Amino acid sequence: SFGVAEEASKTISVFPNPASDLLTFSQKVDLAELYTLQGQCIHKSAPTDHLMMDFPTGIYILKLNSEGKVFTCKITVVD
């Protein structure tokens, strides 16, 4: 599990990481975006509490928007 806190009282956990098929969030978010390390957005979904990880093996940046706050973390996709 990997969480990124913008405020001490507000954390969204993202699990499992690394992920092979499904990435789950500890709460529903308004918008989830997945980016390559080169900054290309390859997926957007809203609102959601999970992402299907049908992307090539590699490292990605996950950006979550919830209640006006933005959370980011690195996600590893494995086979």
Side-chain angles (χ1 to χ4, degrees), residues 24-69:
T24 304
F25 314 140
S26 58
Q27 68 183 55
K28 186 173 265 189
V29 297
D30 302 318
L31 177 65
E33 299 172 295
L34 195 66
Y35 291 86
T36 65
L37 292 180
Q38 293 74 35
Q40 178 185 6
C41 184
I42 59 170
H43 181 81
K44 287 186 182 183
S45 59
T48 189
D49 62 0
H50 68 278
L51 276 182
M52 294 304 295
M53 300 308 291
D54 52 351
F55 305 102
T57 298
I59 299 173
Y60 299 88
I61 303 297
L62 177 65
K63 181 177 173 184
L64 304 174
N65 292 277
S66 180
E67 300 173 359
K69 294 179 176 52

Side-chain angles (χ1 to χ4, degrees), residues 1-4 12-15 17 72-75:
S1 162
F2 182 85
V4 176
I12 298 176
S13 296
V14 177
F15 53 91
N17 189 13
T72 59
C73 62
K74 284 186 180 178
I75 299 297

